[in-house]
C-alpha cells in the first residue's frame, strides 16, 4: 500500500460538534481530515502542482485549501452551571460565555447581564427550555460548577438544535 492510500485510509475523524452545518474537529483530527483531502486530490490527479505558488526556498506551498474548523475542545466546552430541582424535573442552567467564565475568578465580569440556557433533564431525555438573563453577581456567586466535556456536548447539541430551529429568518420588518 502506498503512502497516499495509507493517508486516505487513516484520515477518518469524528467531529466533536456541528455548528452552522459545519463539522468542528480537534486540531489533530482536523489535520488528519485535511491530509486525507489533499491525498485524495493528489491520488485522483486533481491538483496541478506546476501552477501552485511555492514559498521562498521551495519547501512548501504558500496556500493550501482547508475546509475544516478546528478548536480546542476544553475551550469549546468551557461552561458553568447550576442545577435546580422542580418536582421530578431537573433544570440545568448553563453559561457558555467564554469571556465571562474566564473573568469569573476575578469577581468582575465584562457585562452586567449574562445569558443562561436552560435545559431540562427528564426521563424522556434532554429538552431545551429557553434562555434568560442573570446578573453578573448572581453568575459570580452561584455558578461554580462545570460539566465535563461529554455531558456539555450533549447539552450543547440540544441548545444548538433548538436555537437553529427558532432562527427562521421570519419576523416583523421595519417601515421607513
Amino acid at each position: 500500500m502506498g503512502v497516499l492510500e495509507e493517508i486516505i485510509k487513516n484520515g477518518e475523524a469524528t467531529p466533536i460538534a456541528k455548528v452552522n452545518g459545519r463539522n468542528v474537529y480537534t486540531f489533530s483530527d482536523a489535520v488528519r481530515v485535511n491530509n486525507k483531502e489533499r491525498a485524495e486530490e493528489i491520488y485522483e490527479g486533481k491538483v496541478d502542482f506546476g501552477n501552485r505558488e511555492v514559498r521562498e526556498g521551495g519547501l512548501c506551498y504558500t496556500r493550501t485549501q482547508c475546509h475544516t474548523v478546528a478548536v480546542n475542545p476544553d475551550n469549546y466546552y468551557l461552561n458553568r452551571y447550576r442545577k435546580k430541582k422542580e418536582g421530578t424535573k431537573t433544570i440545568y442552567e448553563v453559561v457558555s460565555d467564554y469571556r465571562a467564565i474566564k473573568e469569573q475568578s476575578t469577581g468582575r465580569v465584562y457585562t452586567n447581564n449574562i445569558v443562561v440556557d436552560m435545559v431540562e433533564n427528564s426521563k424522556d431525555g434532554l429538552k431545551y427550555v429557553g434562555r434568560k438573563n442573570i446578573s453578573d453577581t448572581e453568575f459570580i456567586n452561584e455558578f461554580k460548577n462545570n460539566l465535563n466535556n461529554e455531558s456539555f456536548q450533549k447539552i450543547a447539541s440540544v441548545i444548538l438544535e433548538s436555537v437553529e430551529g427558532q432562527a427562521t429568518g421570519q419576523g416583523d420588518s421595519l417601515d421607513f
Side-chain angles (χ1 to χ4, degrees):
M1 180 183 294
V3 174
L4 293 178
E5 289 94 0
E6 191 171 325
I7 290 172
I8 291 169
K9 179 183 160 200
N10 296 330
E12 298 299 325
T14 306
I16 61 171
K18 190 169 196 135
V19 178
N20 295 333
R22 295 191 67 184
N23 291 332
V24 178
Y25 298 94
T26 62
F27 291 114
S28 59
D29 285 345
V31 168
R32 287 177 37 209
V33 170
N34 287 334
N35 287 342
K36 178 185 176 191
E37 287 179 6
R38 297 300 77 76
E40 287 173 347
E41 286 179 355
I42 294 168
Y43 191 73
E44 295 170 0
K46 293 181 180 176
V47 178
D48 182 12
F49 291 108
N51 294 330
R52 292 179 76 181
E53 240 178 272
V54 179
R55 285 196 181 171
E56 188 176 328
L59 295 177
C60 58
Y61 297 104
T62 56
R63 288 183 284 140
T64 303
Q65 291 181 347
C66 296
H67 301 289
T68 57
V69 177
V71 296
N72 180 348
D74 292 332
N75 289 346
Y76 184 73
Y77 291 129
L78 191 63
N79 66 80
R80 294 289 184 269
Y81 82 99
R82 72 177 170 194
K83 185 167 48 170
K84 289 187 172 182
K85 284 274 201 190
E86 295 179 1
T88 59
K89 295 189 268 184
T90 303
I91 304 283
Y92 287 92
E93 296 181 346
V94 181
V95 174
S96 58
D97 184 339
Y98 180 83
R99 184 173 174 189
I101 292 168
K102 286 296 187 182
E103 293 177 355
Q104 184 183 25
S105 62
T106 66
R108 290 184 54 122
V109 181
Y110 76 101
T111 183
N112 294 333
N113 295 313
I114 299 177
V115 177
V116 175
D117 289 300
M118 298 178 296
V119 177
E120 177 186 326
N121 187 13
S122 63
K123 293 179 182 177
D124 300 330
L126 296 174
K127 177 185 166 194
Y128 184 72
V129 177
R131 280 190 169 164
K132 70 177 185 178
N133 289 332
I134 59 168
S135 69
D136 56 344
T137 54
E138 185 178 359
F139 170 69
I140 290 167
N141 295 331
E142 296 182 22
F143 286 76
K144 298 290 185 184
N145 301 321
N146 61 339
L147 297 165
N148 62 24
N149 288 356
E150 292 174 15
S151 298
F152 188 68
Q153 183 177 11
K154 294 174 187 173
I155 287 179
S157 65
V158 170
I159 292 169
L160 284 173
E161 286 173 13
S162 64
V163 170
E164 287 174 0
Q166 293 173 2
T168 59
Q170 309 254 337
D172 296 336
S173 63
L174 298 174
D175 295 326
F176 292 102

